[in-house]
Amino acid sequence: MIDRPGLAEFLRRRRAALTPSDIGLPETSRRRTPGLRREEVAVLAGISSDFYARLEQARGSDPSESVVTALARALRCTPDEKDHLFRLAGVPTPPRQVGDHIDPGLRQLAAHLDALPTCVYNDLGDVLYTNPLNDALAGDGEFRPGRDRNIYRRWFTPGAARDHVPEADRARLSAAHVSDLRATCSRRAGDPRITQLISDLSTHSEEFRTLWNRHEVAVRHADLKAVQHPTVGLIRLRCQLLVTPETGLRMRILLPLQGTDAAEKLELLRVIGTQQFAAG
């Protein structure tokens, strides 16, 4: 439901926080109060000044989703402010764009985790960053430039992505992949990129189609993972996922499972470095 007082207060404060130069108008000394005029916001949003004035006075008819979108654009709202504006107006919060870039803070954090296999990917499964230890653990350089860098495509289409995973674990990981992707599809309904990805996977994988039809939904945050490495043998790991709510980026960190020799094997791989290993 619409929060009229809250919406009115937010609109007034956002309008007051902007200057004419923010919207390309010359600064003048003839304004009695700081910020933009109501008429200027109305013009930017493509609505009548009377309708906008009533919104700031907590009265009048409810704004439509398109009007709220226009107001968010006119008032130069950040993504978080836009979400807040939509909630105040009582309309569905629009989905965020798929994250295709890593912000400097997240990249710096990933770079400091050189002792642990680490990669960053978006909620469509597109890998944006891997560290050398993650590449060494993969064994076949699965995320090197020039290769298909999508986690879901590599798992459900023919290739070497499953070769280093024990067969006993594959069905569980397949189900986890699909339930995670189902959650993304729900969050990004109508996004052509997720629609195309689901269509492609359904076309090429009967396993994917079967799991997709179960309609299981879950965002993964932690899991257990075993890797059968061709040189150091079986490594048992704890998979920890850190999810950024703004963009849906996931940082996957693989930690040695306590009570196993995983720590020693990861250290050996780190010493070996980025050398590529051939399976078998």
Side-chain angles (χ1 to χ4, degrees), residues 4 8 38 48-61:
R4 290 190 178 281
R38 287 176 176 172
S48 74
S49 57
D50 286 343
F51 181 76
Y52 180 76
R54 288 193 293 271
L55 289 177
E56 283 203 1
Q57 295 163 359
R59 61 189 183 89
S61 58

Side-chain angles (χ1 to χ4, degrees), residues 98 123-125 152-153 180-201 212:
V98 175
D123 55 2
L124 295 185
Y152 302 118
R153 291 184 190 278
D180 197 25
L181 194 55
R182 172 69 82 168
T184 298
C185 187
S186 176
R187 187 168 54 251
R188 301 195 181 281
D191 188 311
R193 291 176 61 180
I194 184 67
T195 301
Q196 186 62 54
L197 177 61
I198 299 305
S199 175
D200 291 347
L201 294 175
W212 186 258

Side-chain angles (χ1 to χ4, degrees), residues 58-78:
R59 61 189 183 89
S61 58
D62 295 354
S64 66
E65 183 175 345
S66 61
V67 166
V68 179
T69 300
L71 286 172
R73 183 174 59 252
L75 293 169
R76 305 298 193 266
C77 291
T78 66

Side-chain angles (χ1 to χ4, degrees):
M1 294 180 60
I2 187 172
D3 177 357
R4 290 190 178 281
L7 176 62
E9 176 69 13
F10 182 77
L11 292 175
R12 289 194 298 268
R13 289 188 178 276
R14 280 302 306 153
R15 180 168 62 84
L18 295 174
T19 64
S21 61
D22 290 329
I23 62 170
L25 293 177
E27 295 280 359
T28 67
S29 58
R30 302 172 62 180
R31 293 175 182 259
R32 292 177 297 176
T33 58
L36 300 180
R37 298 187 176 98
R38 287 176 176 172
E39 295 79 7
E40 291 168 337
V41 174
V43 169
L44 289 172
I47 60 178
S48 74
S49 57
D50 286 343
F51 181 76
Y52 180 76
R54 288 193 293 271
L55 289 177
E56 283 203 1
Q57 295 163 359
R59 61 189 183 89
S61 58
D62 295 354
S64 66
E65 183 175 345
S66 61
V67 166
V68 179
T69 300
L71 286 172
R73 183 174 59 252
L75 293 169
R76 305 298 193 266
C77 291
T78 66
D80 289 332
E81 290 169 340
K82 183 177 179 180
D83 287 351
H84 183 60
L85 176 60
F86 270 66
R87 285 191 287 269
L88 290 173
V91 297
T93 303
R96 298 283 182 96
Q97 290 188 344
V98 175
D100 288 319
H101 303 283
I102 308 174
D103 66 73
L106 192 62
R107 184 176 290 276
Q108 185 177 11
L109 174 60
H112 277 78
L113 296 173
D114 60 337
L116 296 170
T118 303
C119 75
V120 179
Y121 58 97
N122 61 26
D123 55 2
L124 295 185
D126 298 325
V127 176
L128 307 176
Y129 169 91
T130 64
N131 68 2
L133 186 54
N134 192 86
D135 291 338
L137 181 66
D140 66 349
E142 64 177 321
F143 297 130
R144 290 303 178 96
R147 303 290 297 275
D148 188 342
R149 297 175 66 86
N150 185 276
I151 288 174
Y152 302 118
R153 291 184 190 278
R154 286 189 55 84
W155 183 261
F156 287 106
T157 55
R162 300 191 185 202
D163 291 351
H164 59 281
V165 176
E167 188 172 356
D169 292 343
R170 295 175 188 176
R172 176 179 59 81
L173 292 176
S174 291
H177 276 321
V178 175
S179 62
D180 197 25
L181 194 55
R182 172 69 82 168
T184 298
C185 187
S186 176
R187 187 168 54 251
R188 301 195 181 281
D191 188 311
R193 291 176 61 180
I194 184 67
T195 301
Q196 186 62 54
L197 177 61
I198 299 305
S199 175
D200 291 347
L201 294 175
S202 298
T203 298
H204 293 100
S205 172
E206 181 179 355
E207 179 189 27
F208 179 85
R209 290 196 301 272
T210 299
L211 292 170
W212 186 258
N213 290 334
R214 292 182 184 176
H215 215 103
E216 295 175 349
V217 182
V219 177
R220 271 188 299 177
H221 294 279
D223 202 350
L224 297 179
K225 182 180 180 69
V227 175
Q228 184 65 51
H229 194 275
T231 297
V232 303
L234 185 68
I235 310 176
R236 298 195 177 279
L237 304 159
R238 184 177 302 281
C239 177
Q240 189 68 46
L241 286 174
L242 307 179
V243 182
T244 59
E246 296 84 4
T247 60
L249 292 185
R250 290 99 184 273
M251 177 183 287
R252 187 191 71 186
I253 307 167
L254 298 178
L255 305 157
L257 190 63
Q258 292 181 331
T260 73
D261 59 356
E264 292 79 5
K265 290 179 176 178
L266 285 180
E267 179 59 24
L268 176 58
L269 283 178
R270 192 164 74 91
V271 172
I272 293 172
T274 59
Q275 176 183 351
Q276 295 296 291
F277 297 98

